[in-house]
Amino acid sequence: MNFVFNTVYDMDALTAMARAVRKTTHKKHSSRSHKIGWVVILIAVLFVVLSVVTDNFGANTVFTALAALVMLAALIWEDKINAFFASKRMMKGSESGTVTFYDDNYVSATEVGTTEFKYKSIEAIAKRGDYIVFVFSRRHAQVYDLRAMTNGTPKEFCKFIEKKTGMELQKI
């Protein structure tokens, strides 16, 4: 059976893709960055509290509080921010595509062109909500909307792709 997906690369799909990359190939780096970020936020909050308590509230305190808020927002919405920048880097005509999965390979067709991919080039496979994500490297991934599948079922596809790649589907 050939599985067919018609995926639109909207913010939800791109966010799922960004999260999958962060949780697979960026896992170690991301974890370290998050820990450092939370420590810096904690130090900034302590500095602001001490400044208010000691009545030493000034421009430095306001700047520190704003910097902590920006870091907090970046940590909380990291995947959405990465998805936004990914959407800005997308080539015109590749906002949606149809992908057909065969036994030996899969073929992706967009307005820009058609590309054939081999399963062995996939480094990780992940599932996030209604999306399956193929991660190729720290900067390259593809996302497929399980709701837009026209042949087969999501469960059948997950078993198929695990068999073809020899990898277990990571739930993120």
Side-chain angles (χ1 to χ4, degrees):
M1 172 189 301
N2 296 338
F3 297 96
V4 179
F5 289 86
N6 297 306
T7 301
V8 175
Y9 292 93
D10 58 9
M11 283 305 288
D12 288 339
L14 293 173
T15 301
M17 188 169 64
R19 183 174 178 88
V21 170
R22 182 171 62 85
K23 293 285 191 173
T24 57
T25 58
H26 280 205
K27 191 174 192 171
K28 188 176 179 181
H29 174 75
S30 178
S31 175
R32 204 175 320 136
S33 297
H34 277 245
K35 287 175 187 171
I36 292 169
W38 286 111
V39 167
V40 169
I41 289 171
L42 180 64
I43 291 169
V45 168
L46 288 173
F47 174 75
V48 170
V49 169
L50 280 172
S51 295
V52 170
V53 169
T54 60
D55 209 19
N56 191 13
F57 194 82
N60 287 345
T61 306
V62 172
F63 178 76
T64 302
L66 288 174
L69 285 173
V70 168
M71 282 188 77
L72 181 63
L75 286 173
I76 291 172
W77 293 298
E78 176 181 7
D79 298 326
K80 288 194 181 292
I81 293 167
N82 287 336
F84 171 78
F85 286 111
S87 71
K88 297 301 177 195
R89 289 192 307 263
M90 284 181 67
M91 188 183 307
K92 250 190 175 127
S94 63
E95 297 87 3
S96 65
T98 301
V99 179
T100 306
F101 290 86
Y102 302 102
D103 280 333
D104 298 339
N105 60 15
Y106 64 102
V107 177
S108 176
T110 65
E111 289 179 26
V112 176
T114 303
T115 308
E116 181 180 312
F117 295 92
K118 300 289 183 193
Y119 294 113
K120 66 181 179 182
S121 62
I122 300 170
E123 284 188 20
I125 51 174
K127 183 175 187 295
R128 168 87 176 152
D130 292 322
Y131 297 99
I132 294 285
V133 180
F134 294 173
V135 180
F136 297 101
S137 69
R138 294 179 62 131
R139 296 191 176 270
H140 296 93
Q142 294 172 339
V143 63
Y144 305 103
D145 189 345
L146 291 171
R147 298 166 298 183
M149 188 177 199
T150 57
N151 278 1
T153 66
K155 195 173 216 174
E156 291 172 330
F157 178 72
C158 291
K159 285 181 183 177
F160 170 82
I161 204 63
E162 284 180 333
K163 181 181 173 194
K164 289 298 176 185
T165 61
M167 291 179 243
E168 190 174 320
L169 187 70
Q170 299 177 44
K171 297 201 184 339
I172 54 168

